[in-house]
Amino acid sequence: MPITENESQRTQTAVIVLQILITAIFAIMFGRLIYLQIFQYDVYSPISERNSIRQQIVNPARGLIFDRHGNLLVGNEPSFTITITPLNFDMSSIPLLSKLTGTEKEEIERRVMEARSYSFHRESRLLRDVSFEVFSDVQENLWRLPGISHQVEGKRSYPTPVRLSHALGYMAEVSRAELNSSPDYRMGDLIGRSGLERIYEPYLRGEKGTQFVTINAFGRALGPFNEGILDITPQRGVNIYSTLDTELQRVAEELLAGKVGGVVALNPKTGAILAMASSPDYDNSRLAGRLDRSYWQEINADSLTPLFNRSVAAMQPPGSTTKPLMGLIGMRLGLISEETTIFCAGGYQRGRFYRCLRHHGNQTIGQAIETSCNTFFYALMDQIVNRHGLNVWKEMMNDTGLGVSSGIDLTNEVRGIVPDSAYFNRVFGVRQWGLGDMINLGIGQGAMGTTPLQMAISTAAIANNGYRVTPHLISHIEFEDGQTENIVDPPVRIDWMQPNHLKTVQKGMRKAVTDGSGRFYANLRDVPVAGKTGTAQNPHGQNHGWFITYAPFDDPEIVIAVLLQNAGFGSISAAPVAGMMMEQYFYGEIRRPHVYQMMLDFKPAPFNPNNN
């Protein structure tokens, strides 16, 4: 059908309109280009420059940790890290990267996806703490691996012969929740997970810096951008100085090896922790840098729980180590005096017969501490609960540091258990408990549970004439400008402790070492030592051994509390450990090597975690 004149005109009109429209679009685009390139040059030129540079975060050196003598406990050493910028990374490079690093392809793919989910544009750690050989191989092949780069970072090093596992703690990568809650961390950063590393994390971590690097089309770094004018220098973490004594700690760790228990040594005047050991422990160095997954699984699966800090968290009945405190409470409440005697015929009759270890005859409080006479303290506890009530006893025990948090600058401390009526009602039920449950508390048995740290604090209160100290592992923090911040809380007076009562108990503890059960291993030739042994009954196996001690008797410098689980009598298990530590502290050497060797060879009964 022939085309009409009207249809031809419409076609020509449409073509003209389309030409005009196309011309207008190109004119607009050209005008916009001129506007951006000429009139908006100052605005968009810096943006275009940023497209050719990479912003890298520079991690600061972590602060160092020293002992009380200035010896380095925790330092830093170089660690090589492979990084990735997901935007520039080609997934087809995974097989090559796997070959160069010796890492499974699936593991690299998982880490790449993690980095992508964190940020598509930011640089993230891909593989931490690789060997220098791997680092070199990757560096030589960067031209084949767009998006891959590298950094030299630092990881924790431990230059001393001591482990101090639970006191120092370990580090691990930040979690997703921590990333979301704090702008101070990036994916792959390490954070203190326990111990001092965790408590003092804000001081130790420092502040990150920024570095701008010119890159080419393949994402390879060509050098600093603009001669580094825009770079921000990182600020290293501050150094912290601990109260720990490396040599004293070494002795504690060596003597606890192969055993289950905890040791705390502290200054009774200030609360400064001189040594803190828990056994079994773990190797911090294997948790530094790239996580040793097989080792991590091993210590987590270990039934002896090496990650568990028994010095601050192992709750066991304190046994006879609370008898000096019982004496102080009894004298303060007016129930006994220094001269009061109680006759021991081998036990105490109250409804049933509560046995003592032997027939002691008439006993004063000082003699009862020396001989560890159970009868005396059964009778005393009977009077306390009947004339003043269990809750009064509990509050006075709390005042000495038992059953309450100590305020130590450490993680995972437990409060322990010093029961009152509310506790018994909750555990046994209202009217389902009675005098028998309370009398046993008089000799540190029954429902009581204390830790070596708590026993050290309460012993310090006796040694320093009635002051409760706040234990601490750090003495001061030293900033880069030379200024320091002291981390010490002053002791608090325990008002009800009377000087004459303290002298009576102190004399009894001195006699316990010179003539009592502590005389075999805790008594030193040139230094007067006071102490008290304890044997906590364990219905599921071998009893637990305790020993608390301080010296010198007339002007105490050190308190030690030792707990060895399933080790039997405290006089032959815990007391020798404290005695050897006293020798190291006062003499700077071990003067009875046969006792030291005896404790190295000492093997407690097998530890069953289900029954302890």
Side-chain angles (χ1 to χ4, degrees), residues 363-416:
Q363 295 279 286
T364 63
I365 178 60
Q367 292 170 330
I369 292 173
E370 174 194 342
T371 62
S372 200
C373 176
N374 287 346
T375 301
F376 188 99
F377 296 98
Y378 284 137
L380 178 57
M381 191 67 189
D382 192 358
Q383 293 185 62
I384 291 173
V385 297
N386 279 291
R387 296 179 59 178
H388 296 275
L390 179 64
N391 294 356
V392 170
W393 170 84
K394 186 254 189 188
E395 290 174 3
M396 296 178 81
M397 280 289 189
N398 287 164
D399 289 340
T400 71
L402 303 187
V404 292
S405 297
S406 70
I408 188 172
D409 47 351
L410 204 60
T411 54
N412 302 320
E413 180 196 11
V414 300
R415 292 166 58 93

Side-chain angles (χ1 to χ4, degrees), residues 93-157:
S93 301
I94 288 180
L96 174 59
L97 195 55
S98 172
K99 179 181 178 182
L100 293 172
T101 62
T103 307
E104 295 290 336
K105 289 186 287 187
E106 293 77 10
E107 176 66 11
I108 291 181
E109 186 173 349
R110 182 187 68 81
R111 290 172 179 265
V112 170
M113 299 311 295
E114 257 185 17
R116 279 186 168 186
S117 66
Y118 171 66
S119 173
F120 203 68
H121 304 275
R122 286 185 179 181
E123 184 180 38
S124 297
R125 295 176 183 85
L126 186 67
L127 297 173
R128 179 193 296 281
D129 197 26
V130 301
S131 67
F132 181 73
E133 290 75 18
V134 168
F135 181 76
S136 300
D137 288 344
V138 171
Q139 194 174 28
E140 289 174 3
N141 287 274
L142 284 179
W143 64 276
R144 304 165 63 190
L145 296 166
I148 296 298
S149 188
H150 53 80
Q151 292 180 5
V152 179
E153 300 184 296
K155 72 172 183 179
R156 286 313 221 182
S157 63

Side-chain angles (χ1 to χ4, degrees), residues 10-11 32 72 97 123 140-141 167 187 198 252 314 351 356 361 381 391 487 496 566 581 589:
R10 284 199 298 272
T11 301
R32 179 65 175 170
L72 182 63
L97 195 55
E123 184 180 38
E140 289 174 3
N141 287 274
M187 179 181 162
R198 177 176 174 180
C356 190
M381 191 67 189
N391 294 356
I487 312 294
W496 58 264
N566 294 75
M581 292 178 66
E589 62 180 3

Side-chain angles (χ1 to χ4, degrees), residues 32-51:
R32 179 65 175 170
L33 185 61
I34 293 174
Y35 174 76
L36 292 175
Q37 290 287 339
I38 298 176
F39 297 103
Q40 292 290 302
Y41 175 82
D42 292 338
V43 175
Y44 289 99
S45 177
I47 295 177
S48 67
E49 285 183 343
R50 284 201 297 269
N51 290 332

